[in-house]
Amino acid sequence: MIWNGDVKKILYGGDYNPEQWGEDVWEEDMRLFRKAHIDVVTLNVFSWASLQPGEDVYDFTKLDKIMDLVSDNGLKVCLATSTAAHPAWMARKYPDVLRTEHNGMRRKFGSRHNSCPNSPTYRKYSAALAGRLAERYGNRGNIVAWHIANEYGGECYCENCEKAFREWLKERYGTLEELNRAWDTAFWGHTFYEWEEVVVPNLQSEEFYWGDCIRTNFQGISLDYRRFISDSMLECYRLEEEAVKKYTPWIPVTTNFMGFYKGLDYQKWARSMDFVSWDNYPAYGAVPEQAAMAHDLMRGLKQGMPYVLMEQTPSVSNWHTYCALKRPGVMRLWSYQAVAHGADAVMFFQMRRSIGACEKYHGALIDHAGHENTRVFREMAALGGELEKLGDILLEGRSKARAAIVMDWDNWWAAEYSAGPSKLIHYYEELLAYYKAFYRLNIPVDVISVEDDLSGYALVTAPMLYMCKDGFDGKLRKFVEGGGFFLTTYFSGYVEDHDLVVTGGYPGRLKDILGIWVEESDALPEGEGNRFLYGGKEYRAEILCDLLHLQGAEALSVYEEDFYAGMPVLTAHSYGKGKAFYMAARSGDDFYEEFIKDLCEEAGIRPIMEAPQQIEVTMRENGNGKFLFLLNHGEDTQEAVLPCGGEDLLTGGRYGKGEKLRLGKKDVAILKVLTE
Ligand code: GLA
Ligand code: ZN
C-alpha cells in the first residue's frame, strides 16, 4: 500500500488552498467536495510565508483550522511542507536563498521554486519547518503522505553552488589529476591546478547559445553540473524527509515529479522516495502515447510499484500557449489512463480557482462561478462516483511486461550536450518513436533504468544509448548470452560515464554484442533522407545514417541510395542464446511498428489483444484478478474483439471471449477477466 492508513479505494482529490480564501467559503467547499466524492486534499503547498512570518516566529493557527475542517469532514490529507517558495523576509535577510541564473544574474525575491539548493539558510529553515509540521500534525490519523516542497526543478549558478560543486567534485574524483583526465582538460589548455579554479559552467564560462539550445565547450563539466544540481536538490529533499521521518516514520514521503523532466535524475531520486507521484499536463497537441510513456516511466522508477497521479488539470492549464478545454470525457479518459498504467490515486490541481495572480484561469473543480452547475464539476463528480463504486478492486495492481525500453538521464544530458553530429538529435523523440510501436501493438513495455534487473525481459531496447555506462555493457552481454533480444540504434555506445569517447570504433563497448562496427555517420539535414527495404516495403532513413561493417552480424536491410548504397542499415547478430539488433538510422513510425512486431514475435512476446488504433490497451493484475483496460482516444465509436470473457467494472456489462465490445468516443472499459 502506498498510503498511510486505511485506504480502500483510488483516492480522489487534489491541491486545496483554503488559506487563499475567507473562511466563509470553507463550508461550501466541503459541501461541494462531498458532492464530487472528493476524499483527499493536498494542503499547505505554498504557505511558508504565513506559517513562518519571521525568523523566530511560527504561526499554525490557520493551518490548525484547516486541518480541523478537513478532518471533521472525513477527508484524507496529503500534507505538503510548503518549502517550494521562500518567504519575502528570508530573501531580504538572507540573500543566499536567492538563485543565480544561467547568465549570472542574481535574482531578487519573486516567483516560486526559487530557492538556491545549496543555500545554508534554505536548507536549515526548510528542514526546520518540515520537522515542526510533522511534530504538530503527525499524529492526526488522516495524513496519508508527506508531500515535500513542490515540483523540484530549475538550477542555480551562485557562489554557494560553485563552492558546493567543488566539494561534490572532490568527492567524485578525489584528485585534480583525475578531474583533469575525466574532463579531458588537455583540450584547449583547460588544465586546473587548484580546485578554486573550477567555476560553474554557464554563459559566463563554458556554455553558450546555439540557436535556442544551450551548448557547451566542455561536455564533462556541464554534464557533471547537471548531476550536481540534481544531487543538490535531492539533498534538500532528503533533509526534509529526515525531519518528517523523525516524528512520523510510518507516514510515506514523496514529492511530485513532472514526467520526462530533463533537469533531475528521477531514477536516482526515486530510491530515496517511499512512492512516486507525478503531475500530468500533456502539451497542447500531444498524442496519447506521450502520456502513456510518461506513466510507464513513473511506474518504472520504483520497479513497477503503483504510483500517484498527484496533479492534472480538470480542464484548462493557464500556462499553455492555447488554453484549450479538455473536451467532454477527456478528463475521465486521461484519469483512467493513469490508472491503466499503474496509478492508485487520481488527483488534480486544483479544488478551487484562485481569484488573483497567474493561475486564476487554471482549471479547478470549483471555478469562479462558485457553484456546481458547470460541465467540469459534473464530469468530476461523475468520475468521483465511479471511483467510489470501484472501491479497492484495482488497488496495487501490477503490469507485467516482457519488453523494456531503457531510459537514462546521464545519457539524455550527454547526448544532447554533444556538439554534433546533428541538431536533430533528441533523446526523448527517439524513445517515443520506439515506445509508440509497442503502444500501437498493445504490447506492454516497462521503461527501466540501466540499474534495473533485465532477467525478466525477453526484449530490451535501448534507443540512442549514446553513453553506455560502466557495467551496463556487461549486463547486456549476460542478458543476450542467456537468450535475451537486445536492440539499440545509431548514436549509441560512443562514450563512457564522463562523456569520453571509447576508442576502437563505435559503438564502443557494444560492438561485440552487436557484431558490427561503425566507421562514419552521415547527418542528413531536415527533410533529406536515404531509403531501405524491409519486409518488401520501403522506409525512410534519416537524421543520422551510420556507415557500418559487419563483424559477425548479418544485414537485414541495406541503404538504397548515395555512395553507401548496399551498406547495412539494420543488422542482427546471434550472440550466445540470444540476438542483438542494430538500427543504424532514424526511420518512421510505420517501420518501427513492423519491425517491433517481428522482433516481438521472434522473442515470443504476444500483444494483450488486437484492437483498433484509437483504442489503448493495458492490463493490471492483483490478488483480485486480472483487469483489462480499453481506452478509446479516438473521435468515433470503436469495436474490439475480446481475447477473454469478462465483466466491465464500470457498466456491469458481461462479455464472452471473442465477443465484440463497443466503446464510444473517449469512453473506457475495465474488464475483470473471467475466462481466458
Ligand atoms: C504545477 C504545480 C502547481 C500548479 C500547476 C498548474 O504542476 O505543481 O502548483 O502551478 O502546475 O498547472
Ligand atoms: Zn545556488
Side-chain angles (χ1 to χ4, degrees):
M1 169 58 63
I2 47 180
W3 302 112
N4 172 51
D6 195 22
V7 175
K8 295 227 174 65
K9 67 178 286 289
I10 293 172
L11 289 188
Y12 191 58
D15 281 39
Y16 177 45
N17 302 303
E19 68 280 0
Q20 296 175 7
W21 292 83
E23 290 180 31
D24 50 317
V25 301
W26 292 4
E27 281 306 329
E28 176 65 354
D29 289 345
M30 296 303 114
R31 181 185 75 81
L32 292 169
F33 287 0
R34 272 192 297 279
K35 206 156 185 192
H37 309 271
I38 298 301
D39 45 40
V40 65
V41 284
T42 302
L43 293 179
N44 201 42
V45 183
F46 290 104
S47 308
W48 200 347
S50 87
L51 298 175
Q52 193 183 359
E55 186 162 8
D56 305 309
V57 199
Y58 287 88
D59 180 359
F60 295 98
T61 340
K62 201 160 204 175
L63 187 55
D64 287 349
K65 272 193 191 163
I66 294 168
M67 286 295 284
D68 289 344
L69 170 82
V70 300
S71 308
D72 293 349
N73 283 277
L75 294 165
K76 310 254 182 229
V77 176
C78 177
L79 192 55
T81 58
S82 264
T83 54
H86 50 241
W89 65 259
M90 196 180 286
R92 180 155 166 253
K93 194 163 178 188
Y94 298 107
D96 66 284
V97 299
L98 297 166
R99 287 188 184 177
T100 294
E101 291 195 352
H102 188 243
N103 61 8
M105 182 180 85
R106 174 114 228 189
R107 293 193 64 97
K108 294 193 177 185
F109 176 70
S111 194
R112 64 166 178 179
H113 305 151
N114 50 359
S115 307
C116 163
N118 288 294
S119 149
T121 310
Y122 176 70
R123 287 184 171 206
K124 176 176 159 194
Y125 285 118
S126 57
L129 179 59
R132 279 177 188 256
L133 288 163
E135 189 180 13
R136 191 172 189 94
Y137 301 109
N139 284 319
R140 296 196 178 221
N142 60 339
I143 300 181
V144 286
W146 289 110
H147 176 300
I148 305 291
N150 188 67
E151 292 190 337
Y152 280 97
E155 56 207 14
C156 182
Y157 297 89
C158 75
E159 280 173 16
N160 277 325
C161 285
E162 195 161 75
K163 280 189 208 136
F165 183 43
R166 291 180 194 132
E167 293 309 310
W168 186 92
L169 292 169
K170 278 183 201 160
E171 180 85 10
R172 187 174 173 88
Y173 295 106
T175 63
L176 270 177
E177 289 67 43
E178 182 52 18
L179 177 95
N180 281 314
R181 186 199 66 79
W183 289 354
D184 196 25
T185 55
F187 181 79
W188 285 359
H190 270 43
T191 308
F192 293 107
Y193 308 94
E194 304 281 344
W195 290 101
E196 286 60 40
E197 290 154 7
V198 176
V199 297
V200 291
N202 65 357
L203 289 180
Q204 296 169 296
S205 54
E206 297 295 1
E207 300 188 352
F208 58 94
Y209 271 101
W210 190 67
D212 52 7
C213 357
I214 289 167
R215 283 291 166 107
T216 176
N217 292 311
F218 270 82
Q219 279 73 20
I221 182 169
S222 292
L223 177 62
D224 273 343
Y225 205 70
R226 295 267 66 80
R227 292 168 167 152
F228 160 75
I229 284 291
S230 178
D231 285 358
S232 300
M233 291 190 189
L234 178 54
E235 275 172 36
C236 295
Y237 171 86
R238 284 210 193 112
L239 287 171
E240 289 197 42
E241 190 216 4
E242 220 171 87
V244 296
K245 280 265 158 91
K246 185 173 159 208
Y247 298 99
T248 58
W250 63 90
I251 300 181
V253 184
T254 192
T255 185
N256 45 343
F257 284 165
M258 297 177 277
F260 277 86
Y261 174 69
K262 192 175 170 185
L264 302 179
D265 181 347
Y266 285 159
Q267 287 162 338
K268 193 166 180 188
W269 274 64
R271 285 179 229 138
S272 298
M273 292 163 60
D274 292 319
F275 64 87
V276 165
S277 64
W278 83 286
D279 302 344
N280 182 27
Y281 294 97
Y284 182 71
V287 292
E289 289 92 324
Q290 288 175 270
M293 182 165 79
H295 283 301
D296 287 350
L297 174 71
M298 295 295 111
R299 187 186 67 230
L301 293 177
K302 285 190 93 65
Q303 295 72 41
M305 179 180 165
Y307 58 89
V308 163
L309 175 62
M310 188 64 90
E311 290 182 26
Q312 62 173 341
T313 175
S315 182
V316 293
S317 298
N318 69 283
W319 44 270
H320 281 171
T321 319
Y322 306 102
C323 306
L325 301 176
K326 281 187 181 169
R327 270 39 203 173
V330 170
M331 181 279 297
R332 174 177 179 265
L333 175 71
W334 291 2
S335 299
Y336 281 123
Q337 186 186 31
V339 177
H341 284 266
D344 268 2
V346 173
M347 295 164 69
F348 297 85
F349 182 89
Q350 63 179 334
M351 295 294 99
R352 187 186 267 275
R353 227 175 215 201
S354 67
I355 55 164
C358 64
E359 285 176 351
K360 60 180 172 301
Y361 303 124
H362 194 282
L365 170 71
I366 309 165
D367 82 8
H368 292 152
H371 54 65
E372 64 265 53
N373 303 315
T374 64
R375 175 184 70 94
V376 169
F377 189 97
R378 282 191 295 273
E379 285 193 34
M380 280 185 69
L383 176 59
E386 279 186 353
L387 295 178
E388 206 160 273
K389 281 205 204 104
L390 278 175
D392 65 356
I393 190 159
L394 296 168
L395 289 188
E396 294 185 70
R398 298 272 178 152
S399 307
K400 284 195 183 150
R402 298 194 62 229
I405 295 183
V406 175
M407 185 315 175
D408 182 66
W409 260 266
D410 289 303
N411 179 55
W412 191 358
W413 296 327
E416 294 184 5
Y417 269 136
S418 172
S422 166
K423 73 165 194 173
L424 299 176
I425 295 287
H426 292 301
Y427 184 49
Y428 172 80
E429 297 298 332
E430 195 69 22
L431 293 176
L432 185 62
Y434 284 86
Y435 182 87
K436 275 181 175 172
F438 289 105
Y439 174 102
R440 291 185 180 171
L441 293 162
N442 302 326
I443 292 174
V445 62
D446 285 341
V447 180
I448 62 169
S449 83
V450 299
E451 304 278 328
D452 285 318
D453 179 14
L454 305 181
S455 61
Y457 299 107
L459 168 63
V460 170
T461 56
M464 200 179 277
L465 189 68
Y466 168 69
M467 173 184 287
C468 181
K469 288 185 190 165
D470 281 352
F472 191 51
D473 56 316
K475 211 169 180 176
L476 287 170
R477 212 165 274 121
K478 222 171 128 196
F479 170 71
V480 182
E481 269 167 7
F485 276 33
F486 170 60
L487 163 66
T488 188
T489 70
Y490 70 97
F491 211 46
S492 289
Y494 278 63
V495 300
E496 43 74 283
D497 303 44
H498 306 293
D499 199 52
L500 295 175
V501 167
V502 177
T503 53
Y506 315 126
R509 295 164 167 171
L510 302 173
K511 273 192 324 244
D512 62 314
I513 309 175
L514 294 160
I516 57 162
W517 83 275
V518 175
E519 185 182 338
E520 296 180 272
S521 301
D522 193 16
L524 302 177
E526 207 158 359
E528 289 185 25
N530 206 307
R531 301 180 287 121
F532 63 95
L533 297 171
Y534 177 81
K537 280 191 226 143
E538 189 178 288
Y539 297 101
R540 305 194 304 277
E542 51 195 24
I543 298 188
L544 198 66
C545 295
D546 285 338
L547 280 56
L548 66 86
H549 305 282
L550 301 174
Q551 282 189 328
E554 57 169 322
L556 300 181
S557 301
V558 297
Y559 293 108
E560 295 293 328
E561 278 178 34
D562 218 323
F563 77 96
Y564 44 94
M567 287 185 86
V569 61
L570 180 65
T571 66
H573 184 222
S574 296
Y575 186 87
K577 293 192 199 131
K579 258 185 175 184
F581 299 83
Y582 187 79
M583 178 59 199
R586 175 66 170 272
S587 192
D589 291 351
D590 50 352
F591 166 70
Y592 293 121
E593 204 173 316
E594 277 307 305
F595 179 52
I596 294 291
K597 186 167 154 229
D598 292 347
L599 265 192
C600 286
E601 248 172 51
E602 206 185 327
I605 303 173
R606 299 185 47 76
I608 299 173
M609 64 183 282
E610 305 271 322
Q613 182 86 83
Q614 292 80 353
I615 295 189
E616 178 180 357
V617 178
T618 74
M619 182 84 91
R620 279 182 82 176
E621 46 182 298
N622 61 15
N624 300 321
K626 287 186 174 180
F627 301 93
L628 175 65
F629 289 76
L630 297 158
L631 307 135
N632 182 3
H633 292 279
E635 294 300 327
D636 306 296
T637 298
Q638 299 288 337
E639 282 184 354
V641 178
L642 294 171
C644 55
E647 183 185 352
D648 189 338
L649 299 180
L650 300 173
T651 63
R654 280 190 164 244
Y655 300 87
K657 181 174 173 168
E659 240 181 84
K660 269 188 191 156
L661 183 141
R662 268 172 81 83
L663 212 50
K665 99 181 213 189
K666 311 295 176 201
D667 204 358
V668 177
I670 308 174
L671 291 194
K672 179 170 180 354
V673 176
L674 296 177
T675 48
E676 294 205 43

